[in-house]
Amino acid sequence: MKIAVMPGDGIGREVTAQAVKVLKAVVGHGQPLELVEAAIGQAGIDAAGDPLPPATSEIARKADAILFGSAGMPGDEEIPFMMRPGASLLRLRKELGLFANFRPAFLFPELIGASTLKPEVVDGLDLMILRELTGDVYFGEPRGSGLNANGEREAFNTMRYSEPEVERIAHVAFRTARARSRKLCSVDKANVLEVMQLWREVVTRVGKDYPDVELSHLFVDAAAMQLMRAPKQFDVIVTGNIFGDILSDAAAMLTGSIGMLPSASMAAGSFGLYEPVHGTAPDIAGKNLANPLASILSMAMMLRFSFDQAGNAQRVEGAVRRVLADGLRTGDIFQPGCTRVGTGEMGDAVVAALGKAAA
């Protein structure tokens, strides 16, 4: 198991350290484990003058999987795109062909009170948002800014998808739905955008290869409304890059905290990058306040998706549930009657729960 560890910026270093701690505990001494740390984001600039240094790219290409923290700092948008700390992750996704982003949204029963929605709306929530990750306006060309013919400042980005790109993510979506509850909702804006008309046409055509999966379509504005109104109607949602970015963050809040949810960004095979869905949170960085559970659960996804270790993944997930059942909470999910703990204490508690389960 050769894993590139990229803690990145802000709270990324703290939460990734806890995920590594739990990884070492669950894998134990019975299997070779090689962890190679690499700088990315602002840490990459500090180390090598580039948010994605060539050495980091090389480490990533030689690894079996990547455990990622977070990248980006305040003021990112004022820096040329290629040199932005936060853009390092987009560049890495493109370099490595990480086109399929799995963003589960599930609710631990112990945290039902942490959601801002009524308990009956979110109780039993378990859905997967599958976001196409290497196309759309984030990567479409042309892009840029400048003065138009009237001497006015303007900026532009291009929403672009090719048929093979849509086919590729559609097949992943149908296979994912087939392994779950056989329901797939494709989200687009086909009533306005030609690129989304192509998206809907291709997803519909690919769906004919999966007659056992029920396919539906929603416009993105309707999907956002339905996620808040009745989220349990969904099982798997597939959508483009920008819509997936927005909807998956919205879905994260159904669970009470964005600090609870993991993600996996997969290439065509078993290679993937695993990261919590929260950002760098510089306001709490270095204060032992960040919730490491999303990073720990991302590591569990890594064990399952990249290393075919479903048993160890279930052990980690079970340990997280036991810690929550014991009433331990970081500040973002704290409720009256619970015990407030810091980042390191939460990681230690998960390791201890693993030990108890094995005893």
Side-chain angles (χ1 to χ4, degrees), residues 8-329:
D9 307 321
I11 62 172
R13 300 203 67 82
E14 299 167 75
V15 299
T16 303
Q18 302 311 310
V20 169
K21 180 192 299 181
V22 177
L23 172 64
K24 291 178 178 178
V26 72
V27 172
H29 302 290
Q31 183 167 347
L33 179 63
E34 182 180 353
L35 303 174
V36 183
E37 186 165 327
I40 197 166
Q42 184 62 47
I45 294 174
D46 294 342
D50 188 338
L52 182 59
T56 296
S57 294
E58 184 66 16
I59 289 171
R61 283 191 290 268
K62 291 180 178 179
D64 300 316
I66 300 170
L67 186 61
F68 189 90
S70 58
M73 298 298 288
D76 250 11
E77 67 279 359
E78 300 171 6
I79 303 171
F81 181 78
M82 292 298 287
M83 288 302 295
R84 293 176 187 174
S88 59
L89 181 56
L90 274 69
R91 290 170 56 189
L92 192 62
R93 289 168 179 167
K94 195 70 172 179
E95 281 189 15
L96 301 176
L98 302 170
F99 72 94
N101 180 235
F102 291 81
R103 294 274 296 262
F106 51 86
L107 184 68
F108 288 102
E110 295 81 5
L111 297 181
I112 194 166
S115 175
T116 55
L117 275 69
K118 295 177 180 178
E120 60 269 24
V121 174
V122 293
D123 186 22
L125 176 72
D126 181 9
L127 64 91
M128 178 71 76
I129 295 181
L130 183 58
R131 168 188 170 193
E132 200 289 325
L133 207 55
T134 57
D136 211 334
V137 295
Y138 293 168
F139 296 99
E141 296 289 347
R143 63 183 296 158
S145 61
L147 299 179
N148 63 20
N150 297 323
E152 303 160 333
R153 291 179 64 208
E154 67 176 13
F156 52 93
N157 295 87
T158 303
M159 177 178 275
R160 186 186 298 272
Y161 270 118
S162 68
E163 190 167 7
E165 286 177 312
V166 182
E167 286 178 341
R168 181 173 63 173
I169 194 68
H171 281 291
V172 174
F174 278 105
R175 290 196 295 268
T176 301
R178 178 177 276 174
R180 289 171 54 96
S181 297
R182 298 177 184 268
K183 288 176 57 180
L184 176 64
C185 179
S186 176
V187 172
D188 57 47
K189 195 62 176 170
N191 58 332
V192 176
L193 302 171
E194 285 83 357
V195 67
M196 290 286 99
Q197 292 168 10
L198 174 68
W199 178 282
R200 183 172 291 208
E201 290 170 7
V202 174
V203 171
T204 300
R205 174 172 54 77
V206 172
K208 295 178 182 179
D209 294 337
Y210 303 86
D212 55 327
V213 176
E214 176 188 340
L215 173 64
S216 61
H217 301 272
L218 272 180
F219 297 142
V220 64
D221 44 354
M225 180 187 70
Q226 291 297 328
L227 271 176
M228 298 300 108
R229 189 187 74 83
K232 290 185 288 185
Q233 68 181 283
F234 298 108
D235 181 45
V236 178
I237 294 173
V238 64
T239 190
N241 206 342
I242 191 167
F243 296 158
D245 193 356
I246 296 166
L247 291 179
S248 56
D249 277 5
M253 291 313 300
L254 298 172
T255 69
S257 173
I258 200 169
M260 285 299 302
L261 296 182
S263 76
S265 300
M266 304 300 296
S270 62
F271 181 83
L273 180 149
Y274 301 86
E275 60 174 320
V277 302
H278 59 66
T280 56
D283 55 321
I284 62 170
K287 298 180 180 179
N288 195 38
L289 296 175
N291 185 347
L293 294 180
S295 186
I296 292 169
L297 291 169
S298 296
M299 181 272 293
M301 290 185 77
M302 178 183 71
L303 291 173
R304 179 178 282 111
F305 284 19
S306 285
F307 297 110
D308 197 25
Q309 294 191 19
N312 277 337
Q314 290 169 0
R315 288 180 60 205
V316 173
E317 293 157 354
V320 170
R321 292 190 185 97
R322 283 188 289 274
V323 166
L324 293 173
D326 288 342
L328 300 185
R329 302 286 190 273

